[in-house]
Amino acid sequence: MSDLLSVFLHLLLLFKLVAPVTFHHHHYDDLVRTLYKVHNQCPHITRIYSIGRSVKGRHLYVLEFSDYPGTHELLEPEVKYVGNMHGDEVLGRELLLQMSEFLCEEFRNWNPRIMQLIHSTRIHILPSMNPDGYEMAAAQGLNTSGYLIGRNNANGVDLNRNFPDLNTYFYYNEKYGGPNHHLPLPDNWKNQVEPETRAVIRWMHSINFVLSANLHGGAVVANYPYDKSLRHRLRSSHGTTTTPTPDDKLFQKLAKVYSYAHGWMHQGWNCGDYFPDGITNGASWYSLSKGMQDFNYLHTNCFDITLELSCNKFPHQEELEREWLGNREALIQFLEQVHQGIKGMVLDDNNNNLTGAVISVSGINHDVTSGEHGDYFRLLLPGTYSVTATAPGFDPKTVTAIVGPAEPTLVNFHLQRSTTQVNPGRRTPNGRQGGKMKMQPQIPKKKDSAMRQPHRGPA
């Protein structure tokens, strides 16, 4: 009898291993259960946290993957995925839930590529920025002709037209002089945006994101900044014009990485539209004001693109497996793109970390800054660059950095205190206002033997 029981248990285990994954749509409660299921299966490399609530009080939950969940490790970049910004565009939501399960499962199976990704990257996944809109769209049903309701949030606001408009200020500064990065928000910005938008902006302030993508539907194309044209018009087939960022070639490369790793995006012909290589500059498609990807680039250190992933905004359940297989490799490859360019520490002459130091690359009119712990990340294409670090009260330092096609080049800066102090009200040469620079003792690497050891393999 015991032999028969043993055979039965082995057959049951085998069935579980080969049983196909069930693909289905997730209402809010299902989404939350899925996130906690992944966390319970991989508790040592995941963390669930909420960045705020929707209009109707639903949590905006994020699932984090890291070998040190909840901790920023020095020189380890932060990446985010945002799905379901428009409530009726649901594929991104399902793909991010599926990817969460995939990352956990592959880590537990000792997949070296996934283990390396999680050990070297802190990944944040927000499956739904607009849970209220999703519930409205899902309640309407899949068989309704025409557009679904639920695109907007519960207050009827399009969240991708709800971020502060910083493009106008940048276009002015580009022409007449002024800061080219970290443009300030209006004093009353909190009263101008929706709860979901406010939560995401605070999220951006709390974590020094380097790379990001937001997932949409209604087309199949990788869309990169700028979204807002220099000559802004409403969506039209006439009068559009390409409006590139100073990092246009880099953004094109990021978009192509996703497009060519995708099952069919790179072919160009999708949903009745044609986009060469499956990519487009946002403004050349149609001009969009107050969008999230432009805001990321102009207000933070983050490079963000928009991924339009399906012709049908609310695909039938039977289509979800094909869509997952078409997007799986692209989702992973895009995360891996954060490991390029240069990164390093900015320290003073006493080896204290400098927060907010400005990193400028000659020939590219867009700077980044060092984070709270003094580390910085600057995505760049392969090449040779002249890089300068500046901070109020310190002499600037310029070095030559050679960037290869693989891992990022480590470029550290030790700044010497200036004998002539910068006037706090005067602009520094890069357009950033002078002032006090935060200094703090250098933080030891998290992987030193004196520190808690990271989780190195499946539980």
Side-chain angles (χ1 to χ4, degrees):
M1 186 66 179
S2 61
D3 291 340
L4 289 175
L5 180 60
S6 177
V7 170
F8 173 76
L9 291 175
H10 277 85
L11 288 174
L12 182 61
L13 176 60
L14 180 62
F15 174 76
K16 287 184 176 181
L17 290 174
V18 300
V21 177
T22 57
F23 293 86
H24 63 275
H25 290 287
H26 294 73
H27 285 274
Y28 177 74
D29 291 342
D30 298 327
L31 180 150
V32 175
R33 279 192 291 268
T34 298
L35 294 180
Y36 275 95
K37 182 187 76 171
V38 173
H39 173 62
N40 290 335
Q41 291 174 342
C42 292
H44 301 292
I45 59 166
T46 62
R47 176 176 72 108
I48 295 174
Y49 63 96
S50 173
I51 61 172
R53 291 179 181 265
S54 67
V55 172
K56 292 192 173 182
R58 295 183 173 96
H59 278 286
L60 305 179
Y61 281 118
V62 175
L63 179 64
E64 172 193 338
F65 282 87
S66 170
D67 55 357
Y68 281 105
T71 303
H72 172 72
E73 297 178 70
L74 286 180
L75 301 176
E76 183 168 295
E78 313 261 0
V79 189
K80 62 181 165 69
Y81 272 133
V82 177
N84 201 207
M85 187 181 197
H86 291 144
D88 62 336
E89 298 172 12
V90 307
L91 180 60
R93 171 191 182 107
E94 300 305 330
L95 291 176
L96 292 181
L97 290 176
Q98 191 64 44
M99 188 182 75
S100 299
E101 294 182 324
F102 175 79
L103 290 175
C104 174
E105 180 181 355
E106 293 304 302
F107 188 91
R108 286 161 58 92
N109 290 336
W110 297 87
N111 181 321
R113 182 186 183 192
I114 300 304
M115 293 182 73
Q116 172 64 21
L117 180 64
I118 291 174
H119 285 314
S120 63
T121 320
R122 192 175 176 209
I123 304 164
H124 305 258
I125 299 171
L126 173 62
S128 181
M129 182 179 167
N130 186 4
D132 297 347
Y134 174 87
E135 296 302 322
M136 287 188 282
Q140 182 181 356
L142 298 176
N143 297 319
T144 305
S145 60
Y147 286 104
L148 290 166
I149 62 171
R151 173 184 176 89
N152 301 335
N153 75 345
N155 285 336
V157 175
D158 186 332
L159 298 179
N160 205 31
R161 312 291 191 279
N162 190 233
F163 285 79
D165 179 10
L166 301 181
N167 296 70
T168 301
Y169 297 110
F170 176 76
Y171 298 156
Y172 179 90
N173 291 346
E174 194 173 40
K175 185 175 182 179
Y176 298 104
N180 65 18
H181 65 107
H182 288 79
L183 300 185
L185 299 178
D187 292 337
N188 62 341
W189 72 270
K190 294 178 183 177
N191 298 323
Q192 298 178 3
V193 301
E194 292 298 300
E196 298 89 348
T197 310
R198 186 160 56 248
V200 168
I201 292 176
R202 286 172 171 165
W203 188 34
M204 295 176 185
H205 289 166
S206 68
I207 297 175
N208 185 22
F209 291 112
V210 180
L211 182 65
S212 172
N214 60 94
L215 282 58
H216 289 250
V220 178
V221 64
N223 177 338
Y224 57 91
Y226 288 121
D227 265 338
K228 184 175 181 179
S229 169
L230 275 167
R231 296 183 293 277
H232 176 65
R233 292 181 175 86
L234 297 177
R235 183 169 186 168
S236 169
S237 58
H238 303 288
T240 58
T241 178
T242 298
T243 305
T245 68
D247 286 285
D248 186 58
K249 291 182 179 179
L250 174 61
F251 271 118
Q252 287 190 44
K253 190 249 186 177
L254 292 171
K256 284 182 179 179
V257 165
Y258 198 95
S259 175
Y260 276 88
H262 187 277
W264 50 88
M265 183 182 289
H266 59 279
Q267 296 171 1
W269 288 107
N270 290 289
C271 316
D273 294 317
Y274 178 69
F275 299 101
D277 295 313
I279 70 172
T280 185
N281 171 263
S284 71
W285 186 13
Y286 63 93
S287 185
L288 182 161
S289 184
K290 301 183 179 181
M292 186 165 67
Q293 71 174 9
D294 288 4
F295 181 85
N296 269 278
Y297 184 68
L298 293 173
H299 184 63
T300 76
N301 288 324
C302 189
F303 288 60
D304 183 55
I305 69 172
T306 300
L307 300 172
E308 301 279 356
L309 298 177
S310 61
C311 304
N312 185 351
K313 293 186 177 185
F314 206 125
H316 287 272
Q317 182 170 300
E318 295 77 16
E319 302 172 48
L320 295 180
E321 182 174 8
R322 174 181 179 270
E323 293 290 353
W324 163 243
L325 295 176
N327 282 275
R328 181 178 60 192
E329 176 62 22
L331 288 166
I332 301 302
Q333 277 199 31
F334 186 80
L335 292 175
E336 293 171 334
Q337 297 309 300
V338 76
H339 298 287
Q340 62 177 301
I342 60 174
K343 66 179 182 179
M345 299 294 302
V346 185
L347 308 171
D348 69 4
D349 39 14
N350 293 318
N351 283 331
N352 293 314
N353 302 326
L354 293 180
T355 300
V358 177
I359 308 300
S360 305
V361 179
S362 178
I364 303 178
N365 187 32
H366 182 79
D367 303 336
V368 299
T369 59
S370 57
E372 180 182 355
H373 303 299
D375 52 348
Y376 77 90
F377 305 83
R378 205 336 173 162
L379 300 181
L380 292 167
L381 294 173
T384 302
Y385 299 91
S386 177
V387 185
T388 301
T390 58
F394 294 85
D395 291 330
K397 184 174 183 179
T398 300
V399 301
T400 298
I402 300 175
V403 176
E407 293 298 310
T409 301
L410 185 64
V411 181
N412 294 320
F413 289 94
H414 284 79
L415 301 186
Q416 301 296 315
R417 196 172 295 277
S418 177
T419 54
T420 58
Q421 294 292 321
V422 176
N423 187 332
R426 183 166 59 87
R427 293 281 176 184
T428 58
N430 54 38
R432 187 175 177 84
Q433 194 166 15
K436 292 184 178 180
M437 175 62 54
K438 294 182 181 179
M439 293 178 289
Q440 46 188 286
Q442 187 173 2
I443 300 173
K445 292 282 286 182
K446 296 291 186 293
K447 294 172 184 176
D448 288 350
S449 58
M451 304 296 290
R452 176 175 65 88
Q453 291 299 311
H455 187 67
R456 287 296 172 193

